[in-house]
């Protein structure tokens, strides 16, 4: 595939292709834009934004429920040398605080949003007494409804080293990190993705991933556009409400390329097991179901393939991948059409520098890790020890990257930028893994980052939420993520220092669940009382110690007893789907 210099060049080339993008907002609610029509609308919107005073180098925070509105605004900004900043519209307090922190960080930021969203933001800012934020909302907002496309905008001649857009870290964080991606970063990664997947203009893609997510935006809009593919973007909330429609639309559209993180398959299967798909649904058109954005469950992949095999979905379609925002999106991809595979190891053999120890799948200490392919073009991967020294294959270590798609900086944060890189210039991914049979395997995260439903969460943030209860403080709460043997998704565990009886603990545990749910939009899997919180000599909490005890079964009795009480809470609570709330 051609290597473009800039996204502007990519879009200028794409607009002459006889291809389109379909926006799926309901079973029969759809709109379609040809690439040429999208280009014309983007140019017209650019003119309106420039008439509002926006200039090259300014940042445009796109905060919208409309995929169509988002895409037009994104390309309008790109064409004008304005820097798009995609931000997801969420339902929790933390989503709103994240947006406020981003607006406060940006030097020349403008919020581009809808009236209903702005009204709720203003109401929340007033309730919280955030006068500075209220001022930002009043002074730096442009409503989509107030922008009337008029004269064509002036297209700016960007260079490969100009910042194209800023990806802010997903999930809940008190200090969101803006990853600056240049046109060079993006174009190199897009070419590598298209070549590795063997995409061409005869393929068709369908994605329900949010366009504010790197896989949704770069993987299944920018890259498929570069390949010249017809593609459809399904509203994420529609997938949440009607997950079976994902496969029905795939069959209708004759999509060959799909994608989802781990939790999406679980969400789909939950309804599929009750209702199934209509007889005659034909998924034989699907060649690839890309699986990434969070740890991949072998068992869940198998369940998904087993369920859809009768409808023609080939087992070879499952396509595990690995990537991260700091490397644009794609890092390692497999060979399309090859059967995906795994390693099964003793979960006690995963320390840095260890050679992995294979065990049978039925072993009580067995844990599966899916192979996620090879380094794509223009990316190098190395596995190192704690001293950044290279480790042999089949040894667990820190994953580090170098290449054309790796970011050069975090927006406005030289300290965070410096911390990203080793002394010899390799990107620290924060992930751990190894090479087996030439393929990369991800075994976990270097630090305590928790990935739930495809979003990143930092334990300290969730601990602060729980510590807002009168009986707790930060020294008494530890939050961690765990993937027990046989589990399909990561569990969110809250450990609480508590030395009284379980009857007295139940009420506190319920309030912890409720508080975290209300403020972070997360469901806690287990709240566990512990007699002590292990810490290092410097006073740092040893989450790994608590997790090891949990995975070794030390708390099984307590979990069972507390779980039995929760099971009696009623049908309504049991039927609530945390994935719906999270998305």
């Amino acid at each position: 595939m051609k290597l473009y210099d800039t996204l502007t060049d990519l879009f200028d080339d794409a607009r002459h292709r006889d291809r389109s993008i379909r926006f799926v907002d309901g079973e029969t609610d759809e709109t379609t834009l040809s690439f040429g029509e999208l280009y014309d609308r983007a140019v017209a919107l650019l003119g309106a934004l420039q008439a509002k005073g926006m200039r090259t180098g300014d940042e445009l925070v796109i905060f919208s429920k409309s995929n169509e509105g988002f895409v037009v605004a994104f390309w309008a900004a790109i064409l004008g040398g304005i820097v798009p900043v995609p931000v997801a519209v969420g339902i929790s307090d933390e989503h709103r605080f994240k947006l406020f922190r981003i607006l406060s960080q940006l030097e020349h930021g403008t919020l581009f949003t809808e009236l209903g969203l702005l009204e709720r933001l203003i109401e929340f800012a007033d309730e919280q007494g955030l006068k500075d934020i209220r001022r930002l909302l009043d002074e730096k907002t442009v409503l989509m409804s107030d922008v009337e496309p008029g004269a064509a905008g002036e297209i700016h001649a960007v260079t490969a080293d100009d910042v194209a857009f800023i990806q802010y870290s997903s999930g809940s964080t008190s200090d969101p990190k803006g990853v600056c991606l240049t046109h060079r970063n993006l174009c190199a990664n897009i070419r590598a993705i298209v070549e590795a997947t063997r995409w061409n203009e005869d393929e068709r893609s369908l994605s329900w991933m949010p366009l504010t997510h790197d896989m949704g935006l770069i993987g299944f809009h920018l890259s498929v556009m570069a390949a010249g593919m017809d593609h459809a973007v399904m509203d994420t909330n529609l997938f949440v409400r009607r997950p079976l429609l994902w496969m029905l639309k795939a069959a209708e559209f004759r999509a060959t390329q799909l994608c989802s993180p781990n939790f999406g398959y679980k969400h789909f299967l939950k309804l599929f097991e009750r209702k199934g798909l209509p007889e005659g649904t034909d998924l034989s058109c699907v060649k690839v179901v890309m699986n990434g954005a969070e740890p991949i469950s072998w068992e869940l992949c198998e369940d998904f393939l087993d369920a859809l095999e009768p409808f023609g979905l080939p087992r070879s379609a499952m396509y595990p991948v690995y990537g991260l925002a700091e490397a644009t999106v794609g890092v390692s991809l497999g060979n399309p059409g090859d059967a995906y595979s795994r390693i099964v190891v003793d979960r006690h053999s995963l320390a840095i520098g260890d050679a992995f120890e294979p065990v049978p799948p039925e072993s009580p200490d067995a844990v599966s890790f899916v192979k996620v392919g090879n380094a794509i073009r223009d990316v190098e991967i190395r596995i190192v020890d704690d001293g950044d020294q290279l480790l042999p294959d089949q040894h667990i270590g820190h994953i580090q990257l170098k290449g054309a798609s790796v970011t050069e900086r975090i927006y406005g944060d030289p300290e965070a930028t410096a911390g990203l890189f080793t002394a010899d210039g390799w990107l620290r991914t924060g992930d751990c893994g190894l090479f087996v049979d030439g393929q990369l395997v991800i075994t976990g995260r270097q630090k305590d980052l928790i990935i739930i439903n495809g979003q990143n969460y930092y334990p300290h943030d969730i601990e602060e939420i729980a510590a807002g209860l009168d009986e707790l403080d930060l020294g008494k709460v530890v939050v961690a993520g765990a993937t027990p043997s046989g589990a399909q998704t990561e569990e969110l565990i809250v450990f609480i220092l508590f030395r009284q009886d379980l009857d007295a603990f139940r009420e506190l545990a319920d309030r912890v669940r409720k508080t975290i749910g209300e403020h972070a939009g997360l469901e806690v899997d287990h709240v566990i009382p512990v007699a002590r919180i292990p810490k290092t000599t410097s006073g740092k909490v040893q989450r790994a110690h608590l997790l090891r005890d949990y995975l070794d079964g030390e708390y099984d009795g307590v979990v069972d007893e507390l779980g039995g009480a929760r099971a009696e809470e009623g049908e309504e609570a049991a039927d609530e789907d945390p994935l719906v709330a999270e998305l």
Side-chain angles (χ1 to χ4, degrees):
M1 181 196 143
K2 175 183 177 181
L3 175 63
Y4 294 97
D5 290 329
T6 68
L7 291 186
T8 304
D9 296 334
L10 185 159
F11 196 22
D12 187 60
D13 192 4
R15 72 185 175 114
H16 298 294
R17 299 174 185 256
D18 184 22
R19 291 292 182 267
S20 62
I21 175 171
R22 179 188 300 193
F23 299 98
V24 181
D25 297 316
E27 185 173 2
T28 58
D29 183 9
E30 298 183 4
T31 56
T32 301
L33 284 179
S34 70
F35 288 177
E37 290 170 335
L38 175 59
Y39 187 93
D40 291 342
R41 283 186 56 181
V43 171
L45 178 58
L46 172 61
L49 292 174
Q50 289 172 335
K52 290 278 187 181
M54 294 207 69
R55 297 292 178 260
T56 298
D58 291 350
E59 300 103 4
L60 186 71
V61 179
I62 308 174
F63 191 71
S64 172
K65 290 183 176 181
S66 166
N67 282 327
E68 184 177 350
F70 176 97
V71 169
V72 174
F74 177 87
W75 282 113
I78 291 292
L79 292 175
I82 298 165
V83 180
V85 183
V87 178
V89 176
I91 60 173
S92 70
D93 293 354
E94 194 55 39
H95 281 105
R96 299 181 183 96
F97 280 123
K98 178 182 176 181
L99 171 66
F100 295 162
R101 291 167 188 140
I102 290 171
L103 285 173
S104 299
Q105 284 182 12
L106 298 173
E107 294 181 11
H108 304 288
T110 295
L111 177 64
F112 193 54
T113 191
E114 298 142 13
L115 178 60
L117 293 176
L118 177 62
E119 288 174 342
R120 285 192 285 275
L121 291 173
I122 289 174
E123 181 181 0
F124 182 74
D126 288 343
E127 289 173 353
Q128 300 293 319
L130 304 175
K131 295 181 180 180
D132 289 344
I133 296 299
R134 176 60 192 270
R135 179 180 52 79
L136 284 175
L137 293 174
D138 289 341
E139 298 176 359
K140 296 192 173 185
T141 298
V142 172
L143 288 174
M144 292 180 170
S145 57
D146 289 346
V147 174
E148 293 293 336
E154 182 179 345
I155 297 174
H156 178 70
V158 295
T159 70
D161 292 319
D162 287 337
V163 174
F165 71 92
I166 302 172
Q167 290 194 105
Y168 270 87
S169 53
S170 61
S172 165
T173 169
S174 57
D175 185 20
K177 301 291 191 296
V179 177
C180 295
L181 295 177
T182 65
H183 288 269
R184 187 187 308 279
N185 292 148
L186 285 152
C187 291
N189 205 238
I190 287 168
R191 177 178 69 168
I193 290 170
V194 172
E195 289 185 352
T197 53
R198 301 177 192 163
W199 282 344
N200 59 67
E201 61 184 12
D202 296 325
E203 307 291 351
R204 289 183 167 195
S205 76
L206 167 66
S207 167
W208 58 262
M209 293 289 288
L211 290 170
T212 52
H213 191 286
D214 49 11
M215 182 184 282
L217 176 57
I218 304 171
F220 275 75
H221 175 54
L222 301 184
S223 295
V224 298
M225 176 178 276
M229 293 163 57
D230 282 327
H231 58 288
V233 178
M234 181 177 179
D235 183 77
T236 304
N237 289 315
L238 178 62
F239 169 74
V240 171
R241 296 191 307 270
R242 301 187 58 187
L244 300 185
L245 198 58
W246 178 33
M247 288 300 151
L248 295 177
K249 287 296 180 181
E252 175 192 320
F253 191 46
R254 307 310 295 160
T256 63
Q257 313 293 321
L258 307 177
C259 67
S260 175
N262 200 61
F263 73 91
Y265 303 106
K266 182 177 180 181
H267 185 54
F268 172 86
L269 287 173
K270 184 173 181 179
L271 187 59
F272 175 86
E273 289 165 0
R274 298 205 306 267
K275 295 190 174 181
L277 290 173
E279 186 177 351
T281 302
D282 180 12
L283 298 174
S284 60
C285 53
V286 178
K287 299 177 183 178
V288 163
V289 185
M290 192 175 287
N291 189 341
E294 69 172 353
I296 299 169
S297 165
W298 170 269
E299 291 79 9
L300 188 54
C301 291
E302 288 292 290
D303 289 346
F304 181 77
L305 293 173
D306 289 344
L308 295 184
E309 195 168 20
F311 298 92
L313 181 72
R315 299 192 75 86
S316 60
M318 186 56 64
Y319 190 63
V321 300
Y322 169 65
L324 64 157
E326 290 82 359
T328 302
V329 62
V331 171
S332 69
L333 285 79
N335 186 37
D338 286 356
Y340 81 113
S341 59
R342 64 173 173 169
I343 62 172
V344 184
V345 305
D346 186 326
R347 57 182 165 82
H348 297 293
S349 68
L350 300 176
I352 299 300
D354 283 355
F356 84 99
E357 297 180 15
V359 296
E362 61 272 15
S363 167
D365 289 322
V367 59
S368 295
F369 298 110
V370 175
K371 298 175 184 176
V372 292
N374 319 101
I376 59 176
R377 179 171 177 164
D378 299 318
V379 173
E380 297 177 71
I381 305 174
R382 73 179 186 183
I383 309 292
V384 300
D385 62 18
D386 290 333
D388 294 332
Q389 298 302 303
L390 201 63
L391 287 167
D393 286 356
Q394 302 191 1
H395 283 67
I396 292 98
H398 304 290
I399 300 172
Q400 298 179 352
L401 310 175
K402 182 180 283 189
S405 57
V406 173
T407 184
E408 295 182 353
R409 66 186 177 93
I410 301 298
Y411 183 89
D413 196 335
E415 184 177 346
T417 299
L420 278 180
F421 299 97
T422 64
D424 54 350
W426 287 73
L427 175 75
R428 304 181 191 274
T429 66
D431 293 313
C432 300
L434 69 161
F435 282 110
V436 178
D437 301 326
Q439 291 201 60
L440 183 64
V441 177
I442 313 299
T443 58
R445 270 96 61 201
Q446 177 182 351
K447 295 185 178 179
D448 296 320
L449 185 68
I450 303 169
I451 301 180
I452 298 174
N453 300 341
Q455 298 291 308
N456 299 340
Y457 296 88
Y458 290 86
H460 186 73
D461 291 339
I462 305 173
E463 288 162 2
E464 284 189 325
I465 291 171
L469 294 171
D470 292 339
E471 300 93 329
L472 299 178
D473 58 45
L474 281 176
K476 295 181 179 179
V477 184
V478 177
V479 172
T483 306
S485 178
Q488 295 179 334
T489 54
E490 186 162 83
E491 296 178 344
L492 180 62
I493 313 295
V494 179
F495 300 95
I496 294 179
L497 184 64
F498 193 88
R499 299 189 179 98
Q500 301 176 44
D501 60 72
L502 285 182
D503 288 334
F505 182 76
R506 285 191 177 97
E507 181 184 355
L508 175 60
D510 287 342
R511 284 192 288 127
V512 167
R513 293 175 189 275
K514 182 178 179 181
T515 300
I516 292 175
E518 288 178 346
H519 291 276
L522 292 171
E523 179 176 72
V524 176
D525 290 280
H526 301 296
V527 183
I528 300 174
V530 293
R532 72 180 190 91
I533 303 290
K535 297 182 180 180
T536 66
T537 53
S538 61
K540 294 182 179 178
V541 171
Q542 294 178 307
R543 289 186 177 85
H545 187 111
L546 288 168
L547 279 177
R548 184 172 64 248
D549 289 346
Y550 170 71
L551 293 171
D552 284 341
E554 285 198 20
Y555 304 115
D556 284 358
V558 171
V559 168
D560 288 344
E561 189 169 346
L562 291 171
R566 280 184 57 76
E568 298 170 3
E569 289 178 3
E571 292 280 338
E572 184 177 352
D575 285 341
E576 291 179 0
D577 190 336
L579 300 179
V580 174
E582 171 61 23
L583 280 167

